[in-house]
Amino acid sequence: MSTRRLIPAPRPRLLTRRTALLGAGTTLLTSACDSARPRAGFLGAMERVNARLQAALFDENQLAPELPPEETTPPGAFPQYFISDTVPRAPPGWTLRVGGLVARPATLTLAELQRLPGTQYRLRHHCVEGWSAVASWHGVRLRDLAEHVGADPAASYVELRSFDSGYWSSWDRPSAFHPQTLLAYGMNGQPLPPEHGAPLRLYSAVKLGYKMVKYLTEVNFLTEPTSGYWEERGYEWYAGV
Ligand SMILES: Nc1nc2c(c(=O)[nH]1)N[C@H]1C(S)=C(S)[C@@H](COP(=O)(O)O)O[C@H]1N2
Ligand SMILES: [Mo]
C-alpha cells in the first residue's frame, strides 16, 4: 500500500472562502513561525486578527450539506496523508485519554466510546493542498464527549494529540462543539481503516483536513489556545472551511 506525505508548502490563497473574503492577514511564512512561541510577533498578531474575524463569521448552527451515497469517493481515489512513512498502527491496549479542565477525566476504550450516543453523516472534506473527498463517518460528537467528562465552560479550546509521530492540533470551542464535529471510529459503514486514522480520528465539516487529527490518543479541554503540527510550520491555526 502506498503512503503519501503532505509536503509543507503553505499556500494561504488556497485556503478558504472566508480567508479569500478577508484578504490580507493570512500570509504566514514557515520561517517566521517560532515553534516555541507560535503566536508571538507580527505574524502571530496578524493571525490572531484573522482567527478572530473567522470566529466572528462562524455560525455554529449552520450545517454542511449531507451528500447522497453515489457521491462517495471510491476507496482507491481517496488520498491518504499522514506524516509517518508507514501507516501508523495503534499500540496494543489503545485508549483515549480525556483531560484538561474537566470534572471527570477519563481513559476510554473503543468499546466505551462506542457506547456513548453516536451519530453518522456523509460529507465532503477539503485538504489545504486542493483536493477534496466524500465519505460517510460515524462516531461520537466531540460535544457529547465533552458532556460525558464534564468539560468546564471556561475551556475555550480543545487540543487533540495522536500516536502518529507527535501529530497534533488544537481547535476553538465553537468549531469543536459544532454538531458535525465528531470523533469517528467508522467510515463508509466499516470500522475506520488504518489509513484513515484507526482506531479513532477527528472528523468535521467546519475545518480543513489538517485540523482533523487521525490516530487520536488524547483530547484536552483548555483555557488557552495551543498550536499544532502544521500550524507550527506556517499553516493557519483557525483554518475554517
Ligand atoms: N495523525 C495525523 N492526522 C492527520 C494527518 C497526519 O499526517 N497525521 N494529516 C492530516 C491531513 S493534512 C489531512 S488532509 C487529513 C487526511 O485525512 P484522510 O487520510 O482520511 O483523507 O488528515 C489529517 N490528519
Ligand atoms: Mo491535508
Side-chain angles (χ1 to χ4, degrees):
M1 182 154 316
S2 73
T3 64
R4 300 177 65 192
R5 301 170 74 187
L6 183 70
I7 305 304
R11 277 180 275 170
R13 294 286 159 245
L14 244 180
L15 281 175
T16 66
R17 292 192 304 276
R18 277 180 196 150
T19 48
L21 281 173
L22 295 168
T26 57
T27 309
L28 283 168
L29 300 170
T30 309
S31 57
C33 209
D34 173 0
S35 61
R37 291 169 55 218
R39 321 230 72 71
F42 174 71
L43 291 170
M46 291 298 277
E47 193 181 348
R48 269 197 303 280
V49 169
N50 176 45
R52 215 170 290 144
L53 284 167
Q54 288 196 55
L57 289 169
F58 183 75
D59 177 353
E60 52 201 329
N61 298 312
Q62 194 189 320
L63 300 181
E66 296 202 27
L67 302 169
E70 40 306 353
E71 297 247 359
T72 304
T73 303
F78 206 119
Q80 295 159 15
Y81 283 112
F82 25 80
I83 57 168
S84 303
D85 291 326
T86 56
V87 182
R89 301 281 167 172
W94 176 92
T95 52
L96 182 74
R97 287 184 302 280
V98 189
L101 206 57
V102 300
R104 299 172 292 279
T107 300
L108 299 165
T109 63
L110 191 56
E112 286 168 332
L113 285 159
Q114 288 169 339
R115 281 199 290 274
L116 295 176
T119 188
Q120 109 169 40
Y121 54 59
R122 184 177 294 100
L123 298 176
R124 179 177 296 281
H125 89 235
H126 303 268
C127 176
V128 70
E129 294 203 318
W131 56 269
S132 73
V134 177
S136 76
W137 305 92
H138 58 270
V140 190
R141 287 190 177 94
L142 188 47
R143 57 153 75 161
D144 290 337
L145 179 74
E147 196 172 309
H148 181 71
V149 297
D152 195 288
S156 301
Y157 300 91
V158 185
E159 182 183 271
L160 303 123
R161 294 187 173 270
S162 78
F163 57 81
D164 173 20
S165 314
Y167 194 94
W168 66 296
S169 189
S170 54
W171 287 46
D172 57 292
R173 181 183 177 108
S175 303
F177 283 38
H178 185 272
Q180 290 173 318
T181 297
L182 54 94
L183 301 171
Y185 43 71
M187 179 187 182
N188 293 333
Q190 303 291 322
L192 188 63
E195 293 77 10
H196 292 288
L200 190 72
R201 61 95 51 90
L202 189 65
Y203 191 84
S204 177
V206 301
K207 297 275 195 212
L208 288 171
Y210 64 89
K211 301 295 289 185
M212 304 182 201
V213 179
K214 305 193 280 188
Y215 316 106
L216 285 168
T217 49
E218 232 175 87
V219 177
N220 296 309
F221 294 88
L222 305 174
T223 55
E224 297 296 327
T226 54
S227 182
Y229 181 86
W230 288 115
E231 293 86 336
E232 285 181 336
R233 289 159 178 79
Y235 282 83
E236 194 194 354
W237 177 78
Y238 191 86
V241 171

